[in-house]
């Protein structure tokens, strides 16, 4: 990736964003976006694209949205985008398999399974013909599987062992009796009492039969078993060898035709029994009322005795599958033998797979060494993850003073963690996601949305170090956009990752929602590198007042004449009108080392009018640079001075008696003033709320420049 072009309109609060960012050799862009500008909106837009959704305006749904993000002039692929934030939740367990797999083991494992799968598919094709079941594999796993046996071959072995030892029914259409919607099962449950009565009468008739019977072990010699016997005697060779059959009543049979005649007569006697017929008709009429059971009705009418088996529905379902397998005994024997021939080799591969987990070990090592968490972590089913592409089952272990407890359920484990620990756990899931993507060896655009927000300092710097590792890795194909509204994090990441200024951006809002990018600034010491070396620039001259005042407070104390003089520049005091720019310059020369040899080049003026003059000059600029720190500080000081000027004019207080928080104190008095103006009070409250963050040395990053407040304050005065 070389560049990303944005053409966005009405995307989650971004009214317009038409910019291009280019990736340098570090493949990392850092964008500082103050609160309310565009950070979360841009992250949400990327997240929608990644999830193949269409972004929209979060409030004004009827507004037309334009969302076009191209990489190197081509539409960006959703699959290459990943958005990471500090509060998200990832389905990380599914990602683990993509980086745990050993390529050599995987190839060997896949080669064996390719042969097995080819033979399995051939068998399933024949099984489908016999059973009329559309998805035999899925159905077999559903019927015979459990938490331990949940793949085809594990249930296949179980079915084969039973199909070999039992002669079972197999000549029925599976889909008719075991429909996917469960209509037949529901009917059987609803008419269980009637079916039991049918079975009771049927068993009485079986006992009277000289041919059909049911043993003490409930093994039945019924129509299917008789059909199989008749088929075996089909060529009469049995009887021609002078063998014969004796029934339990002593009847001697010398010919196949005699056996068939007796069988037909016995079957007719049972089926045509009046009591059995009565109950059958009751059941048949009930089935007729449901059109969805039409096929079932037809099948039962052809073979009424099956009703006796349907009472134990799930048991009968398994019996039917055994019958299908018995019918394909040659085919399933061949497949079973092939599987057994390879099972030892597969077991060996699984054992080796458990030993090969270097990537996993590395991730866990990084996580435990860099991030503070109170638990250890392991994979319960590592071999399945590596070889069978199963989802990883993570095991979370807590150990304290010899007590060792573990959680296998992610949700239960998650509830035990504090908010900070939950965020730290998210980082582990993030590592899984990124390592999985790294393993794919394709271009990825990673959006870090204030990834370190709300973390303690240790974990915050651990995140930065991990991102640094990604940047240093020459083999990864990650291109990163780091979004933050935290100015400290912006400066830290630029410094620690060595991001050049060309790859740093700061956003500002223009024309109510139109977002622009400026080249990033202020990554180094603002006072030493920027302000103190340009003392004769009028804006910087004013901006230095709060900085130098703080230095004097720490070195000379807040009772010193220098401190008091600078305070009179920031607040309207009785002596404020007597202070000139030259006096302030002399203080700078005394305090700031780089100013000692400077010559005063600014016009000699009273400091308060000078500040207001510079603020008005900024307000009148055609294209205001809203990123410039000096613009923000000058406007903030001017807003405060104008607000106090208005309040002093109305209240006429003695401001020299106010020793701290003068603006707040004056506004408090104004709130008690009987003739206060509500609209003016709203402006004053905003000025009091916003200006200190720009004026004080350690907080100068407002969401936007104070221009609006300056104009409102000016109108109030």
């Amino acid at each position: 990736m070389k560049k990303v072009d944005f053409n966005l309109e009405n995307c989650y609060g971004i009214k317009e964003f038409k910019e291009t960012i280019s990736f340098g050799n570090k493949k990392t862009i850092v964008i500082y976006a103050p609160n309310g500008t565009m950070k979360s909106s841009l992250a949400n837009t990327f997240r929608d694209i990644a999830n193949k959704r269409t972004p929209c305006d979060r409030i004004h749904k009827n507004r037309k949205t334009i969302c076009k993000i191209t990489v190197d002039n081509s539409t960006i692929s959703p699959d290459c985008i990943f958005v990471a934030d500090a509060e998200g939740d990832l389905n990380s367990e599914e990602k683990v398999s993509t980086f745990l797999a050993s390529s050599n083991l995987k190839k060997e494992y896949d080669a064996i399974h390719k042969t097995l799968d080819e033979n399995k598919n051939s068998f399933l094709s024949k099984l489908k013909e016999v059973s009329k079941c559309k998805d035999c594999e899925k159905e077999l796993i559903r019927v015979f599987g459990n938490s331990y046996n949940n793949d085809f071959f594990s249930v296949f072995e179980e079915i084969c062992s039973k199909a070999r030892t039992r002669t079972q029914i197999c000549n029925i259409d599976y889909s008719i009796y075991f429909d996917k919607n469960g209509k037949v099962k529901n009917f059987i449950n609803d008419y269980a009492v009637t079916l039991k009565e049918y079975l009771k009468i049927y068993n009485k008739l079986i006992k009277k039969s000289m041919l059909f019977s049911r043993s003490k072990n409930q093994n039945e010699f019924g129509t299917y078993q008789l059909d199989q016997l008749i088929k075996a005697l089909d060529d009469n060779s049995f009887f021609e060898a002078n063998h014969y059959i004796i029934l339990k009543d002593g009847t001697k049979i010398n010919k196949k035709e005699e056996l068939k005649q007796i069988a037909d007569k016995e079957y007719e006697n049972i089926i045509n029994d009046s009591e059995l017929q009565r109950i059958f008709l009751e059941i048949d009429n009930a089935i007729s009322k449901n059109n969805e059971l039409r096929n079932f009705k037809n099948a039962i009418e052809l073979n009424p005795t099956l009703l006796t088996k349907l009472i134990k529905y799930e048991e009968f379902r398994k019996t039917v599958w055994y019958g299908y397998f018995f019918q394909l005994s040659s085919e399933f024997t061949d497949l079973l033998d092939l599987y057994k021939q390879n099972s030892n080799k597969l077991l060996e591969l699984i054992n080796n797979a458990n030993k090969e987990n270097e990537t996993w070990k590395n991730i866990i090592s990084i996580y435990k060494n860099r991030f503070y968490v109170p638990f250890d972590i392991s994979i319960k089913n590592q071999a399945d993850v590596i070889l069978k592409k199963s989802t990883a089952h993570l095991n979370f272990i807590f150990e304290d003073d010899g007590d060792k407890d573990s959680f296998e359920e992610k949700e239960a484990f998650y509830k035990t963690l504090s908010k900070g620990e939950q965020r730290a756990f998210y980082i582990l899931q993030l590592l899984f996601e990124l390592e999985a993507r790294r393993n794919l060896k394709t271009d990825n655009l990673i959006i870090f949305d204030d990834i370190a927000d709300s973390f303690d300092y240790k974990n915050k710097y651990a995140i930065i170090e991990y991102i640094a590792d990604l940047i240093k890795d020459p083999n990864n194909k990650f291109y990163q956009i780091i979004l933050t509204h935290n100015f400290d994090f912006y400066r830290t990441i630029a410094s620690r990752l060595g991001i050049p200024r060309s790859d740093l951006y700061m956003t500002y809002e223009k024309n109510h929602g139109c977002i622009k990018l400026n080249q990033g600034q202020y990554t180094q010491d603002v006072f030493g590198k920027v302000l103190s070396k340009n003392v004769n620039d009028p804006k910087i001259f004013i901006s230095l007042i709060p900085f130098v005042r703080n230095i004097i407070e720490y070195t000379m104390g807040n009772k010193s004449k220098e401190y008091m003089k600078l305070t009179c520049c920031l607040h309207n005091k009785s002596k404020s009108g007597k202070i000139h720019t030259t006096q302030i310059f002399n203080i700078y020369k005394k305090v700031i080392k780089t100013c000692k040899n400077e010559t005063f080049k600014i016009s000699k003026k009273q400091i308060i009018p000078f500040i207001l003059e510079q603020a008005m000059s900024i307000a009148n600029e055609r294209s205001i640079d809203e990123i410039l720190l000096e613009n923000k500080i000058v406007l903030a000081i001017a807003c405060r001075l104008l607000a106090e000027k208005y309040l002093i004019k109305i209240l006429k207080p003695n401001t020299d008696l106010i020793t701290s928080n003068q603006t707040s104190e004056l506004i408090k008095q104004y709130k008690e003033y009987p003739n206060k103006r509500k609209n003016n009070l709203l402006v004053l409250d905003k000025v009091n709320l916003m200006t200190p963050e720009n004026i004080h040395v350690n907080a100068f990053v407002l969401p936007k420049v104070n221009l609006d407040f300056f104009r409102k304050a000016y109108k109030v005065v």
Side-chain angles (χ1 to χ4, degrees):
M1 296 183 186
K2 294 181 180 178
K3 66 170 185 171
V4 181
D5 291 295
F6 296 91
N7 181 9
L8 305 179
E9 290 184 21
N10 300 318
C11 294
Y12 292 99
I14 297 175
K15 188 173 182 181
E16 181 180 295
F17 182 59
K18 297 180 179 179
E19 294 283 354
T20 298
I21 59 174
S22 300
F23 289 102
N25 60 357
K26 290 186 179 294
K27 299 186 291 188
T28 301
I29 299 295
V30 183
I31 300 177
Y32 167 71
N35 271 329
T37 309
M38 55 85 81
K39 179 189 68 66
S40 297
S41 299
L42 185 60
N44 284 333
T45 300
F46 271 115
R47 193 176 284 110
D48 274 354
I49 296 172
N51 293 322
K52 299 177 183 178
R53 297 193 300 256
T54 303
C56 63
D57 189 277
R58 60 187 173 186
I59 298 173
H60 305 289
K61 305 291 185 182
N62 60 330
R63 288 183 178 175
K64 181 183 177 182
T65 293
I66 295 175
C67 179
K68 188 177 181 182
I69 301 178
T70 59
V71 174
D72 300 335
N73 301 319
S74 298
T75 302
I76 192 166
S77 168
D79 295 332
C80 81
I81 300 172
F82 174 65
V83 181
D85 57 39
E87 300 288 344
D89 185 28
L90 299 170
N91 193 5
S92 57
E93 291 81 352
E94 292 184 358
K95 300 292 183 180
V96 172
S97 62
T98 62
F99 60 74
L100 279 185
S102 164
S103 58
N104 291 332
L105 286 179
K106 189 68 177 164
K107 285 178 183 176
E108 208 170 344
Y109 183 86
D110 287 345
I112 293 173
H113 264 280
K114 182 181 179 183
T115 303
L116 288 174
D117 286 344
E118 287 173 353
N119 285 269
K120 178 190 76 173
N121 292 335
S122 176
F123 172 76
L124 288 172
S125 178
K126 294 175 182 177
L127 188 61
K128 182 179 179 180
E129 290 179 17
V130 171
S131 66
K132 306 297 187 294
C133 178
K134 292 183 179 179
D135 192 340
C136 294
E137 181 174 5
K138 184 177 179 181
E139 188 67 4
L140 287 172
I141 293 171
R142 192 187 71 78
V143 174
F144 294 94
N146 52 48
S147 58
Y148 302 102
N149 298 333
N150 55 11
D151 63 80
F152 174 78
F153 281 107
S154 60
V155 301
F156 177 73
E157 281 189 286
E158 178 188 337
I159 299 170
C160 289
S161 64
K162 294 181 180 179
R164 273 177 165 165
T165 58
R166 300 179 186 180
T167 303
Q168 305 292 344
I169 293 171
C170 66
N171 57 346
I172 68 171
D173 187 329
Y174 185 84
S175 62
I176 291 176
Y177 294 90
F178 307 101
D179 59 303
K180 65 179 182 179
N181 295 322
K183 298 292 184 182
V184 173
K185 185 176 182 179
N186 291 337
F187 176 82
I188 298 300
N189 291 336
D190 291 342
Y191 286 85
V193 174
T194 308
L195 286 169
K196 285 178 181 177
E197 187 179 354
Y198 184 90
L199 177 61
K200 184 178 179 182
I201 297 170
Y202 176 80
N203 286 337
K204 285 182 180 180
L205 294 171
I206 286 287
K207 283 183 180 180
K208 295 177 183 178
S209 172
M210 58 187 252
L211 183 61
F212 301 113
S213 67
R214 189 185 296 276
S215 70
K216 292 180 180 179
N217 296 326
Q218 297 301 307
N219 291 323
E220 181 182 341
F221 183 81
T223 56
Y224 172 76
Q225 287 78 9
L226 182 60
D227 286 342
Q228 296 297 306
L229 177 59
I230 291 173
K231 285 179 183 177
L233 302 172
D234 194 50
D235 61 357
N236 267 325
S237 58
F238 176 82
F239 296 109
E240 289 173 1
N242 295 320
H243 299 303
Y244 53 86
I245 296 173
I246 298 177
L247 303 182
K248 64 183 178 181
D249 67 347
T251 302
K252 185 176 180 179
I253 298 174
N254 295 305
K255 293 181 180 180
K256 182 186 74 170
E257 289 75 14
E258 291 178 16
L259 178 63
K260 194 167 187 320
Q261 286 174 5
I262 292 172
D264 290 343
K265 184 179 178 181
E266 288 288 303
Y267 184 75
E268 289 295 324
N269 288 339
I270 293 172
I271 294 302
N272 293 326
D273 178 80
S274 59
E275 277 297 297
L276 199 67
Q277 277 283 323
R278 179 184 62 78
I279 299 173
F280 179 80
L281 287 172
E282 183 181 338
I283 295 170
D284 192 55
N285 289 334
I287 297 174
S288 300
K289 294 177 182 178
N290 192 333
N291 289 330
E292 293 175 323
L293 295 176
R294 187 181 297 113
N295 291 336
F296 176 59
K297 169 182 164 62
N298 294 337
I300 289 299
E301 287 174 348
L302 290 173
N303 193 353
T305 59
L306 281 178
L307 285 173
T308 63
K309 302 181 184 301
L310 285 166
I311 294 173
K312 296 181 179 180
Y313 189 78
E314 293 302 329
E315 183 180 315
F316 180 56
R317 187 200 295 268
K318 290 184 177 182
T319 299
V320 169
W321 279 116
Y322 296 142
Y324 296 146
F325 270 65
F326 184 83
Q327 191 172 345
L328 298 172
S329 57
S330 175
E331 288 85 350
F332 83 64
T333 298
D334 291 342
L335 181 58
L336 185 62
D337 289 345
L338 179 66
Y339 176 69
K340 287 183 175 180
Q341 289 169 16
N342 288 279
S343 59
N344 288 334
K345 183 59 180 176
L346 288 171
L347 184 61
E348 181 185 342
L349 288 173
I350 289 171
N351 290 333
N352 290 335
N354 282 322
K355 299 174 185 176
E356 295 200 9
N357 55 1
E358 290 305 312
T359 303
W360 166 262
K361 288 179 180 177
N362 185 48
I363 292 174
I364 297 302
S365 177
I366 290 172
Y367 187 62
K368 289 176 65 177
N369 292 334
R370 293 187 179 179
F371 297 91
Y372 172 74
V373 288
F375 55 85
D376 200 355
I377 187 168
S378 65
I379 301 178
K380 188 179 179 183
N381 61 332
Q382 183 171 303
D384 286 349
V385 172
I386 295 174
L387 300 177
K388 301 179 184 178
K389 298 181 180 178
S390 300
T391 298
H393 293 165
L394 301 180
N395 195 28
F396 306 98
I397 305 158
F398 290 81
E399 192 167 0
D400 181 48
D401 292 335
D403 294 330
K404 199 171 185 178
D405 295 288
S406 63
F407 289 83
E408 293 182 15
E409 293 294 329
K410 180 179 172 182
E411 290 185 5
F413 154 75
Y414 198 69
K415 290 177 181 178
T416 68
L417 302 179
S418 68
K419 286 294 183 183
E421 290 165 350
Q422 288 174 4
R423 294 189 186 101
F425 175 60
Y426 170 75
I427 295 300
L428 174 63
Q429 298 177 90
L430 176 62
L431 299 188
F432 290 157
E433 176 75 35
L434 293 176
E435 289 301 329
R437 287 177 174 269
R438 195 204 295 245
N439 194 54
L440 296 175
K441 302 187 185 306
T442 56
D443 284 355
N444 277 274
L445 183 61
I446 312 297
I447 314 299
F448 289 108
D449 177 17
D450 255 333
I451 189 63
D453 202 32
S454 303
F455 281 90
D456 59 33
Y457 273 94
K458 181 180 179 181
N459 285 338
K460 182 179 293 186
Y461 286 115
I463 294 167
I464 294 172
E465 289 305 312
Y466 179 74
I467 296 174
D469 289 345
L470 294 179
I471 293 174
K472 292 172 187 174
D473 182 2
N475 298 316
N476 87 56
K477 304 191 77 175
F478 287 172
Y479 295 82
Q480 302 168 123
I481 298 177
I482 302 174
L483 303 170
T484 182
H485 66 198
N486 186 307
F487 191 72
D488 176 59
F489 185 73
Y490 159 80
R491 294 179 65 191
T492 301
I493 204 137
S495 172
R496 291 208 171 198
L497 303 186
I499 307 297
R501 191 177 173 190
S502 58
D503 296 337
L504 300 175
Y505 294 91
M506 302 180 87
T507 66
Y508 67 94
E509 186 177 335
K510 186 177 182 181
N511 300 330
H512 305 290
C514 177
I515 308 301
K516 305 298 292 180
L517 294 179
N518 268 5
Q519 193 173 66
Q521 302 181 58
Y522 309 122
T523 57
Q524 297 180 323
D525 171 26
V526 175
F527 180 80
K529 301 287 185 180
V530 181
L531 299 182
S532 65
K533 293 184 178 180
N534 299 283
V535 68
N536 276 301
D537 181 305
K539 295 178 185 177
I540 291 178
F541 181 85
I542 297 168
S543 299
L544 279 169
I545 293 172
F547 281 83
V548 175
R549 179 171 173 264
N550 273 28
I551 293 172
I552 291 172
E553 182 181 11
Y554 301 142
T555 56
M556 303 180 189
N558 58 11
K559 302 297 182 184
S560 64
K561 62 180 181 179
E562 289 85 357
Y563 180 87
M564 298 304 297
K565 193 166 287 187
L566 293 178
T567 299
C568 291
C569 301
L570 301 175
H571 294 283
N572 280 291
K573 300 284 188 180
S574 61
K575 295 181 180 180
S576 295
K578 300 175 183 178
I579 300 172
H580 290 74
T581 52
T582 51
Q583 294 171 280
I584 303 304
F585 185 78
N586 289 333
I587 294 176
Y588 291 169
K589 291 188 69 173
K590 183 177 180 180
V591 174
I592 305 172
K593 185 177 180 180
T594 54
C595 293
K596 285 186 177 180
N597 299 320
E598 283 284 338
T599 303
F600 182 70
K601 297 176 183 177
I602 296 173
S603 57
K604 181 180 178 181
K605 289 186 178 180
Q606 287 184 346
I607 190 65
I608 301 298
F610 180 71
I611 293 171
L612 297 178
E613 178 185 301
Q614 291 303 317
M616 186 59 70
S617 174
I618 294 170
N620 291 331
E621 287 178 14
R622 275 190 180 181
S623 181
I624 300 172
D625 187 343
E626 302 197 27
I627 299 298
L628 277 181
L629 174 62
E630 51 266 37
N631 280 353
K632 294 184 177 186
I633 297 178
V634 170
L635 288 169
I637 295 172
C639 283
R640 177 186 280 180
L641 291 172
L642 286 171
E644 289 191 1
K645 182 178 179 181
Y646 170 76
L647 291 167
I648 292 168
K649 179 181 177 182
I650 299 294
L651 302 172
K652 297 180 173 53
N654 184 353
T655 55
D656 291 340
L657 297 177
I658 303 175
T659 57
S660 64
N661 301 320
Q662 178 169 302
T663 311
S664 298
E665 181 59 35
L666 290 174
I667 292 174
K668 182 180 176 182
Q669 293 179 27
Y670 185 72
K671 287 178 179 179
E672 298 172 359
Y673 182 65
N675 297 322
K676 62 178 176 289
R677 295 183 180 180
K678 186 176 181 181
N679 289 340
N680 288 353
L681 182 58
L682 292 174
V683 175
L684 293 168
D685 274 335
K686 286 185 178 181
V687 170
N688 187 44
L689 177 67
M690 302 301 288
T691 56
E693 301 209 5
N694 275 171
I695 294 173
H696 293 298
V697 67
N698 61 344
F700 45 78
V701 282
L702 272 179
K704 62 172 72 175
V705 73
N706 256 337
L707 186 58
D708 289 341
F709 294 131
F710 171 74
R711 286 172 175 156
K712 288 177 181 178
Y714 188 81
K715 287 179 181 178
V716 168
V717 176

